[in-house]
């Protein structure tokens, strides 16, 4: 099952490779300045290309998470390989649904349209960056013979750093249209709460 999904993931990434190359400079710019995230959303073509690339990264990310054991909690360890892989994909899709539900229920309607759009879709940008870093770092470390636990630990720290950077940029975007306190509350409802639901089981199990 892994090999079949890996082939599908490779083909889908190849189909969007040109879009990724075009939009990549903008994605890198978003890491350094919050305003670049707003500028990216202002470009219809780049924002659509970014969304397509983010969608094609879902399967590769899930496969990488499974291969490197990023979310290897105890309840999953007793499952067979195919079931464990399916669980990884299911957990990630559930996380996406929780984030979408949180956004639908609590998203600040007082923010202007440009700010809402940039803050709402910033996760697409950083998800692409995260997936590329996970695939690159994991493949390189494995090629040079790093121990699986070392690879897993490195990928977790890389993921945490990229996610923290996304939180900072999203907070800056919120604060451009509201108070610092309101921006923090929005960040908690839209990011920290859904992600906490994913992280807490990993800490417990």
């Amino acid at each position: 099952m892994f090999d079949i999904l890996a082939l599908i993931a490779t083909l889908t990434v190849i189909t969007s490779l040109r879009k990724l190359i075009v939009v990549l400079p903008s994605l890198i710019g978003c890491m350094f300045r919050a305003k670049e995230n707003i500028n990216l959303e202002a470009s219809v073509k780049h924002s659509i290309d970014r969304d397509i690339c983010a969608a094609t990264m879902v399967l590769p990310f899930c496969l990488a998470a499974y291969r490197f054991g990023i979310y290897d909690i105890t309840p999953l360890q007793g499952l067979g390989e195919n079931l464990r892989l399916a669980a990884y994909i299911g957990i990630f899709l559930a996380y996406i649904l929780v984030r979408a539900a949180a956004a639908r229920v609590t998203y600040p309607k007082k923010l202007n349209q440009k700010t809402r759009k940039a803050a709402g879709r910033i996760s697409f940008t950083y998800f692409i960056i995260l997936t590329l870093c996970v695939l690159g770092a994991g493949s390189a470390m494995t090629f040079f013979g790093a121990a699986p636990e070392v690879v897993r630990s490195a990928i977790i720290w890389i993921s945490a750093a990229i996610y923290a950077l996304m939180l900072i940029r999203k907070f800056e975007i919120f604060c451009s249209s509201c108070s610092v306190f309101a921006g923090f509350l929005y960040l908690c409802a839209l990011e920290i709460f859904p992600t906490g639901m994913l992280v807490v089981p990993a800490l417990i199990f």
Side-chain angles (χ1 to χ4, degrees), residues 185-203:
L185 291 180
Y186 293 148
L187 197 66
C188 289
L190 297 170
E191 286 292 342
I192 297 176
F193 173 71
T195 303
M197 294 179 63
L198 181 69
V199 173
V200 168
L203 297 176

Side-chain angles (χ1 to χ4, degrees), residues 2 4 10 12 19 22 30 47 58 64 75 87 110 122 188 190 199:
F2 180 90
I4 295 174
T10 302
T12 55
K19 291 182 175 60
V22 170
C30 290
S47 63
V58 171
K110 295 181 180 179
I122 190 174
C188 289
L190 297 170
V199 173

Side-chain angles (χ1 to χ4, degrees), residues 66-196:
Y66 166 77
R67 175 60 69 191
F68 300 122
I70 297 176
Y71 200 71
D72 199 20
I73 58 178
T74 303
L76 300 183
Q77 294 176 1
L79 301 177
E81 290 189 7
N82 289 343
L83 283 178
R84 188 145 50 97
L85 176 56
Y88 266 82
I89 297 173
I91 290 171
F92 185 74
L93 294 179
Y95 173 64
I96 293 176
L97 290 176
V98 170
R99 287 175 58 91
R104 187 173 184 83
V105 173
T106 65
Y107 214 89
K109 295 180 175 59
K110 295 181 180 179
L111 297 179
N112 63 62
Q113 186 66 23
K114 289 175 64 176
T115 302
R116 288 185 62 189
K117 188 176 180 182
R121 296 184 177 179
I122 190 174
S123 57
F124 297 167
T125 296
Y126 281 84
F127 176 64
I128 296 171
I129 296 169
L130 171 62
T131 303
L132 293 176
C133 289
V134 167
L135 291 172
S139 299
M141 295 180 71
T142 301
F143 178 79
F144 287 107
E149 279 302 314
V150 174
V151 177
R152 178 178 181 271
S153 179
I155 289 177
I156 289 174
W157 280 107
I158 290 172
S159 302
I162 293 174
Y163 184 72
L165 181 59
M166 187 203 72
L167 291 181
I168 293 172
R169 295 290 175 255
K170 191 165 188 174
F171 181 65
E172 290 174 341
I173 292 172
F174 281 142
C175 290
S176 67
S177 297
C178 64
S179 67
V180 172
F181 180 69
F184 178 73
L185 291 180
Y186 293 148
L187 197 66
C188 289
L190 297 170
E191 286 292 342
I192 297 176
F193 173 71
T195 303

Side-chain angles (χ1 to χ4, degrees), residues 34-52:
K35 188 177 180 180
E36 289 300 321
N37 293 276
I38 298 176
N39 293 339
L40 175 59
E41 297 305 329
S43 171
V44 176
K45 182 181 186 306
H46 280 181
S47 63
I48 292 176
D49 287 348
R50 188 273 319 275
D51 294 349
I52 293 172

